[in-house]
Amino acid sequence: MRSLTVFLLASFAAVSTATEKPNIVFILADDLGFGDISCYNSESKVTTPHLDRMAREGMRFTDAHSPSTVCTPTRYSILTGQMAFRLNYPGVFTGVGGPCLITEDRLTLPEMLRNEEYETAMFGKWHIGLSFLDEHGQVIDDKEPPKETDRAIKANLGVEAVRRVDFSRAIPDAPIHRGFDHFFGTACCPTSDWLYAFIDGDRIPVPPTEVIDKAKLPGHEWSFDCRPGLVAPDFDHEEVDMVFLEKSLDFLDQHAREKPDKPFFLFHSLQAVHLPSFPGKDFQGKTEAGPHGDFIFQFDHIVGQLLAKIKALGLDENTLVIVTSDNGPEVGTVLNMRAKYGHDGARPWRGVKRDNWEGGHRVPMIVRWPGMIEAGAVADQTVCLTDVMATCAELVGADLPNDAAEDSVSVLPVILGETNQEVRDFTLHQTISLALAIRKGKWKYLDHQGSGGNNYDRGKLAKFNPPNTAPDAPGQLYDLDVDPGETNNLYFENLEIVKQLKEQLDRSVESGRSAPERVASRELILLEPGKVIVADDFAEKQMSKRVFLRGEWTVANGVASVVQDDEVYKKFNNHGPIIRYDFPFEDGIINFDFKGNGMRAFHCTVNGDDKWGLFRLGMNPTQSRLWTWVDGEGVNLFDGGPSLKDDEWVSVTIEFCGDTVAVHVGDEFQKTVTHSNFAKPKLFTGVRHAFGSFNVRNFSITEGTPKSKE
């Protein structure tokens, strides 16, 4: 949004004093549950001292969600800001499956940061698909066979696909061809795959040579899910995460030594704590919660090592660190940990990995940035990991185009403690089967029956399936404020809410986005933007010093809307609906977008200390007009310019600099006018229309200082 780009300075004033931009470190656990970290779960049987300390020194989110309930779609969504269900790709990749879900023309998080002069690196698990080539240079089509396929047949297909790879050939859609300068890691799940080998850049320097001998691996309740794939001589299943850690630590050292003035983005993507639970040799037996408890302990240690390195290099106060998980805890992990050690990685939520209930996608998320994030802060706003991209864009001042990060909303105001309001109007959820759900405030609607993932009708999960309170309902509606365990389906008791949420979900699917549309930033001609006086994203209908007048205004999806007909027009004495902002300013910038259908007129008026306007921009179906008032008489300053058009968003920017006003409408129109009235204090601003439908979004007023005339 333009309000997040033109007026960026206010969002991180403390770091805007120089060209220095903050480093960003994103640490992603695999299958780490909400209840696996001791600062989230007082009953956890594993202590996580480094994560607990990070939470004390930073901010802990209590309502953060992975974009999906399984690996591949979540990782796609983090790196693109787009929900993966929009690709219509169910499931996850295995072996040498591909191609990469991220197409070459899609803007990625690392590419966006690289465009802002960042060095970008990723170490660890990729799992978004890759195109491996055979000896003829043809892409190997290794699709995961249907779930019901015999295991022996699956193994044969998976291994034979790996055998066909020509490892002398580069991988054309490797991470270094999707925005990363450096990559070292694995194609899919590091220790649960048909291919056990490391990728360096876009090649596998040490190819696999033989089928793994699983008899040489640990055997326990958490050692399953290790496929009988081909393994490389340098690949140790128990030490892969320590290899990834060494790579990240070396990158940090080298970057600090060779490019100390260049910001970096480091994506550290772990195997921990995905099955099989093979903690490194230095961590075996470190807890009283078995191998999986040791694995969680190792993950915590790795986070501690990365934080310690950042501090040792003197980067602490200029580095934003985010730690989170790609989805909820695995079924077998949870069942065995509950039974043997009384540890519940999904606590306190219903559901686990693959499910659309909270346990499948509500994940821990801790952020730390000394001096910028309040120590010990707790955020209860609903956020999604798709939001990482828009947040980083706002942080570094990057413009996100409208056809990128379509499901990403910046949560930077939350991180910096600038708001305690929701920044998302609603949040989408998806499962491995592409079953969808939507969350808005306390209400959560699942557009399906059951979990959307795992089968709770039989087997070991059956005892965790509470009675269905609405068995005939085609969907599920829960009030999470009073029923966080999602046990009482209120579908039939609140049909109007079901209707509203279902319609919102359908609109988001059809429109291709859940984030508000963005308008490219515009070049200002009079002013340099400064402190933001007001930035209204219409997340809530009620806001101090903003008033809706005349008409039945609604606020949804970041847009304020109203409809006026002849009857309503007469009711309000031939005046149209208006949004009024009581925010005084002198030199400053007004910015907003509007859209209408059937409108006869549109006005933006700025008033001073009398009832007559200091300035007005008016538009009708034939032209635009700029005018002011003197002693109650209108003074026309300009006629011409753009006219009203139906169903098109129009961006408006108005610069007030002394006695001069510059008006920008859309991409083409720009007009400068001068009058002594414009130098007077501006006390309130209004936008209104006459007849038809009227929509407004992204309203802001920002202080400005005159540009240098040099």
Side-chain angles (χ1 to χ4, degrees):
M1 294 184 295
R2 192 171 46 213
S3 57
L4 299 183
T5 54
V6 174
F7 313 127
L8 177 67
L9 296 179
S11 296
F12 58 109
V15 295
S16 63
T17 56
T19 59
E20 186 177 26
K21 294 180 179 179
N23 306 307
I24 303 167
V25 176
F26 186 79
I27 304 171
L28 186 66
D30 199 327
D31 293 1
L32 183 76
F34 192 93
D36 281 328
I37 301 177
S38 48
C39 63
Y40 279 89
N41 180 8
S42 60
E43 298 181 12
S44 172
K45 298 302 186 289
V46 182
T47 57
T48 50
H50 298 292
L51 288 162
D52 294 357
R53 179 180 177 181
M54 184 180 173
R56 291 194 301 270
E57 295 176 345
M59 175 179 286
R60 179 170 62 91
F61 281 79
T62 63
D63 202 357
H65 297 263
S66 59
S68 176
T69 61
V70 288
C71 305
T72 293
T74 283
R75 291 159 194 274
Y76 170 88
S77 297
I78 290 171
L79 289 179
T80 65
Q82 183 189 48
M83 293 292 288
F85 74 81
R86 303 191 188 283
L87 306 179
N88 197 33
Y89 180 85
V92 299
F93 286 108
T94 60
V96 293
C100 180
L101 288 183
I102 304 174
T103 57
E104 191 173 4
D105 60 347
R106 174 157 285 276
L107 181 67
T108 65
L109 171 61
E111 181 184 2
M112 177 193 74
L113 292 172
R114 193 161 65 179
N115 292 341
E116 297 297 323
E117 306 303 321
Y118 275 69
E119 185 170 16
T120 59
M122 179 178 182
F123 303 110
K125 172 180 174 177
W126 175 245
H127 211 189
I128 311 176
L130 295 171
S131 296
F132 288 90
L133 307 181
D134 63 19
E135 61 180 343
H136 304 294
Q138 299 299 308
V139 176
I140 296 170
D141 185 16
D142 179 31
K143 295 292 190 295
E144 177 75 356
K147 187 176 180 180
E148 61 273 12
T149 304
D150 182 85
R151 287 189 177 185
I153 296 176
K154 278 188 177 183
N156 183 63
L157 291 173
V159 170
E160 287 308 309
V162 176
R163 292 190 192 279
R164 290 167 51 205
V165 175
D166 181 352
F167 290 103
S168 69
R169 296 180 181 271
I171 304 167
D173 49 8
I176 62 170
H177 303 302
R178 294 297 183 267
F180 286 105
D181 296 312
H182 312 279
F183 175 75
F184 183 94
T186 60
C188 298
C189 297
T191 62
S192 179
D193 201 13
W194 305 117
L195 171 63
Y196 299 121
F198 293 119
I199 301 169
D200 192 348
D202 59 5
R203 296 175 186 271
I204 293 180
V206 183
T209 56
E210 60 185 9
V211 175
I212 188 170
D213 183 358
K214 295 177 66 173
K216 296 180 180 179
L217 297 174
H220 47 65
E221 293 92 333
W222 299 271
S223 63
F224 59 93
D225 204 18
C226 178
R227 293 180 173 92
L230 289 175
V231 63
D234 66 341
F235 197 93
D236 185 340
H237 276 59
E238 295 177 84
E239 301 299 332
V240 289
D241 269 324
M242 301 313 290
V243 172
F244 298 154
L245 175 61
E246 182 180 1
K247 293 293 182 180
S248 284
L249 296 178
D250 287 347
F251 167 78
L252 292 170
D253 279 331
Q254 184 174 355
H255 185 91
R257 183 173 59 252
E258 298 178 0
K259 303 174 184 178
D261 297 325
K262 187 180 181 72
F264 65 80
F265 170 59
L266 170 61
F267 187 164
H268 188 85
S269 178
L270 292 96
Q271 155 71 11
V273 293
H274 191 291
L275 291 175
S277 297
F278 291 155
K281 295 177 178 62
D282 291 341
F283 303 93
Q284 295 169 11
K286 290 294 185 180
T287 72
E288 296 181 357
H292 191 71
D294 297 343
F295 211 13
I296 297 171
F297 184 84
Q298 180 180 358
F299 169 72
D300 179 75
H301 169 83
I302 289 170
V303 172
Q305 289 292 295
L306 290 168
L307 292 176
K309 176 61 72 174
I310 291 167
K311 187 171 185 177
L313 293 173
L315 303 174
D316 214 27
E317 295 186 358
N318 195 41
T319 302
L320 170 65
V321 181
I322 304 171
V323 177
T324 187
S325 178
D326 64 348
N327 45 249
E330 180 59 274
V331 176
T333 301
V334 172
L335 292 178
N336 289 338
M337 290 295 284
R338 284 173 178 170
K340 192 162 186 176
Y341 296 106
H343 173 90
D344 188 352
R347 185 179 185 268
W349 313 112
R350 180 186 183 185
V352 291
K353 179 178 178 178
R354 299 178 191 83
D355 298 338
N356 239 348
W357 296 317
E358 292 293 288
H361 51 76
R362 191 180 293 218
V363 292
M365 185 169 107
I366 305 172
V367 296
R368 181 181 183 273
W369 188 3
M372 295 299 295
I373 296 176
E374 179 185 358
V378 177
D380 59 6
Q381 291 97 327
T382 306
V383 301
C384 181
L385 298 189
T386 55
D387 297 335
V388 173
M389 190 162 177
T391 301
C392 290
E394 182 175 4
L395 179 64
V396 305
D399 278 339
L400 276 178
N402 204 42
D403 60 352
E406 296 92 337
D407 297 295
S408 187
V409 176
S410 175
V411 300
L412 188 63
V414 177
I415 291 174
L416 297 180
E418 296 174 349
T419 182
N420 58 8
Q421 301 297 312
E422 294 287 351
V423 292
R424 284 183 147 270
D425 183 50
F426 63 93
T427 302
L428 303 179
H429 308 301
Q430 74 170 80
T431 72
I432 187 172
S433 66
L434 304 185
L436 299 180
I438 183 171
R439 167 81 180 282
K440 184 177 177 67
K442 69 177 185 176
W443 294 108
K444 178 180 175 184
Y445 170 70
L446 291 77
D447 196 31
H448 56 82
Q449 296 179 325
S451 74
N454 297 299
N455 188 340
Y456 284 76
D457 293 331
R458 62 178 185 272
K460 294 181 179 179
L461 286 174
K463 67 178 180 179
F464 298 105
N465 196 19
N468 190 343
T469 58
D472 297 327
Q476 302 165 68
L477 179 72
Y478 299 107
D479 179 347
L480 295 183
D481 280 357
V482 299
D483 182 25
E486 299 173 280
T487 60
N488 186 21
N489 185 358
L490 301 175
Y491 186 98
F492 292 117
E493 287 88 338
N494 294 274
L495 288 173
E496 183 58 32
I497 294 174
V498 169
K499 178 176 179 291
Q500 292 173 7
L501 293 178
K502 169 66 172 170
E503 289 176 350
Q504 182 66 76
L505 176 61
D506 290 345
R507 282 197 300 271
S508 178
V509 172
E510 293 167 5
S511 68
R513 65 186 310 113
S514 59
E517 292 190 28
R518 305 180 185 94
V519 180
S521 61
R522 130 173 28 254
E523 184 69 28
L524 302 177
I525 62 174
L526 301 179
L527 299 171
E528 296 288 353
K531 178 182 177 182
V532 175
I533 299 171
V534 57
D536 188 1
D537 60 2
F538 296 104
E540 301 286 343
K541 188 168 184 180
Q542 303 301 320
M543 188 182 87
S544 175
K545 298 184 181 180
R546 183 247 277 148
V547 181
F548 292 108
L549 300 171
R550 307 183 199 130
E552 297 296 326
W553 286 88
T554 61
V555 171
N557 308 322
V559 177
S561 304
V562 69
V563 177
Q564 184 188 49
D565 55 22
D566 287 331
E567 182 178 343
V568 175
Y569 191 64
K570 292 175 182 177
K571 176 181 177 181
F572 293 106
N573 299 318
N574 299 334
H575 288 91
I578 186 171
I579 310 176
R580 171 172 160 160
Y581 292 89
D582 294 331
F583 292 90
F585 67 98
E586 294 185 4
D587 286 352
I589 306 154
I590 298 171
N591 185 79
F592 62 91
D593 310 321
F594 78 91
K595 179 175 73 171
N597 194 338
M599 292 196 304
R600 298 182 190 175
F602 158 78
H603 292 154
C604 175
T605 304
V606 180
N607 287 64
D609 57 4
D610 58 34
K611 67 178 181 179
W612 307 108
L614 298 178
F615 168 85
R616 175 176 288 179
L617 161 66
M619 296 177 66
N620 61 40
T622 61
Q623 65 174 3
S624 299
R625 174 178 291 181
L626 307 177
W627 71 96
T628 186
W629 283 262
V630 176
D631 297 328
E633 296 292 331
V635 178
N636 186 30
L637 302 174
F638 172 79
D639 280 322
S643 59
L644 291 174
K645 293 182 173 60
D646 284 345
D647 294 322
E648 290 186 12
W649 281 107
V650 179
S651 59
V652 176
T653 299
I654 306 171
E655 303 177 65
F656 286 85
C657 182
D659 62 358
T660 303
V661 169
V663 179
H664 313 256
V665 179
D667 296 330
E668 305 296 333
F669 180 75
Q670 177 181 296
K671 182 66 178 178
T672 301
V673 291
T674 300
H675 196 279
S676 59
N677 273 358
F678 301 156
K680 297 178 182 179
K682 276 66 73 176
L683 301 183
F684 61 90
T685 304
V687 290
R688 66 175 183 171
H689 87 299
F691 295 97
S693 65
F694 182 49
N695 307 275
V696 182
R697 68 183 185 190
N698 301 338
F699 183 93
S700 62
I701 303 174
T702 301
E703 292 179 355
T705 55
K707 285 192 171 186
S708 171
K709 296 181 180 180
E710 296 180 1

